[in-house]
Amino acid sequence: MTTKIMGILNVTPDSFSDGGEHATVEAALSHAQAMLDEGADIIDVGGESTRPGADRVEQAEEAARVLPVVRELAARGVAVSIDTMSARTAESAVDAGAAMINDVSGGLADEGMASVAAATDVPFIAMHWRGHSTDMNSLAVYSSVRADVRHELLARVDALLAAGVSSRRIILDPGLGFAKNAGHNWELVGHLDELITLGFPLLVGASRKRFLADVLPEGATVRDRDPATAAVSSLAAAAGAWGVRVHDVRGTRTALAVHEAVRGARG
Ligand code: PMM
């Protein structure tokens, strides 16, 4: 199995600063096309920033940002996932053609999400999450991050199954950078196999996250984190990850090709 590349398309006013609704949709579509040309398998469309400290966005505003982009990409035959914590946005996005729901809260933030996941019957990405961005850093307390993330992800799986989500539709994600300090993130990256043995496909999202600054010189920019992201993606592929969620599709493609070449040479 080749690890899938999920290209990140953030449709937020600050991600495409040229302003104006039409301009934003056009810019988002052309960025999506560039990522597809570079080898993205899935485009992950999100309208709400989940960065530490970020404010929440109204559901109607979030839907207004993402739905035109989801609709157009789906019409072009692109596999789209919708990155949202809102059940209403998820449901509308699937109606508009999204093929997958990516909920960073794993169904915790909106009690209606699990039933939308069950009713729409599309793959559902349940990420490890402990709370909203505003209080995420105070939640980074674990007795063992590896064991706690496993247990908390399995609790989400139980809740999703109880709501009628098919086990074949569930994809798990360790939630790198969410309620985790740098040490927690590195420990999870070093033990992805323990999450893969839970028996669900695993998505790993390290892209440009703050913990990567640990391996870079002081003063490195956020974009300077791309080669480190690619290295983590290659390690994730070697561990057996189903997919990686990244900004830099081109670099990721190369990193995954290295993994494939080594795997092929081993026979
Ligand atoms: N990270 C972010 C947003 N969505 N979804 C999944 N499944 N996994 C992640 O790690 C993840 C996500 C935050 O990153 P961004 O602000 O760079 O999109």
Side-chain angles (χ1 to χ4, degrees):
M1 180 205 74
T2 310
T3 302
K4 295 193 186 319
I5 299 181
M6 179 182 272
I8 301 171
L9 189 63
N10 286 324
V11 192
T12 49
D14 44 331
S15 51
F16 295 104
S17 52
D18 46 1
E21 200 175 312
H22 182 68
T24 303
V25 173
E26 286 303 309
L29 292 172
S30 79
H31 185 54
Q33 191 57 52
M35 291 193 288
L36 291 163
D37 293 345
E38 289 172 354
D41 300 294
I42 301 161
I43 300 294
D44 188 42
V45 180
E48 179 182 17
S49 175
T50 51
R51 286 189 186 287
D55 289 329
R56 300 297 315 276
V57 172
E58 290 292 328
Q59 187 272 331
E61 167 66 20
E62 181 198 27
R65 289 176 185 175
V66 295
L67 293 181
V69 177
V70 169
R71 194 170 291 114
E72 182 56 32
L73 288 174
R76 295 180 189 179
V78 177
V80 176
S81 74
I82 176 68
D83 185 349
T84 185
M85 289 185 268
S86 156
R88 278 182 78 171
T89 301
E91 190 170 36
S92 310
V94 174
D95 277 349
M100 201 175 290
I101 299 169
N102 174 23
D103 179 356
V104 298
S105 81
L108 275 174
D110 185 334
E111 60 185 20
M113 185 62 97
S115 53
V116 166
T120 53
D121 200 28
V122 293
F124 181 80
I125 298 162
M127 198 191 81
H128 178 261
W129 184 88
R130 284 182 159 185
H132 289 290
S133 301
T134 36
D135 36 41
M136 183 143 85
N137 291 333
S138 63
L139 299 172
V141 180
Y142 297 89
S143 51
S144 153
V145 71
R146 286 150 60 190
D148 293 355
V149 167
R150 270 174 73 104
H151 287 140
E152 289 166 35
L153 281 175
L154 285 176
R156 295 320 306 149
V157 168
D158 286 345
L160 292 165
L161 295 177
V165 178
S166 162
S167 65
R168 288 174 297 108
R169 296 295 194 215
I170 298 175
I171 297 167
L172 299 180
D173 184 321
L176 298 177
F178 286 79
K180 292 165 194 86
N181 65 30
H184 296 140
N185 291 312
W186 288 116
E187 190 171 339
L188 287 168
V189 169
H191 297 87
L192 292 173
D193 53 319
E194 293 178 3
L195 294 174
I196 286 164
T197 55
L198 295 176
F200 296 90
L202 191 78
L203 177 69
V204 177
S207 196
R208 296 184 182 169
K209 287 184 180 168
R210 195 176 305 163
F211 74 101
L212 299 174
D214 279 4
V215 298
L216 295 172
E218 209 169 308
T221 65
V222 169
R223 275 173 193 265
D224 290 337
R225 298 174 189 167
D226 282 345
T229 303
V232 171
S233 293
S234 184
L235 292 169
W242 165 83
V244 290
R245 179 183 179 278
V246 296
H247 299 87
D248 172 28
V249 172
R250 185 189 297 267
T252 302
R253 185 89 272 163
T254 305
L256 296 184
V258 169
H259 162 66
E260 290 296 324
V262 170
R263 192 171 65 165
R266 279 188 181 149

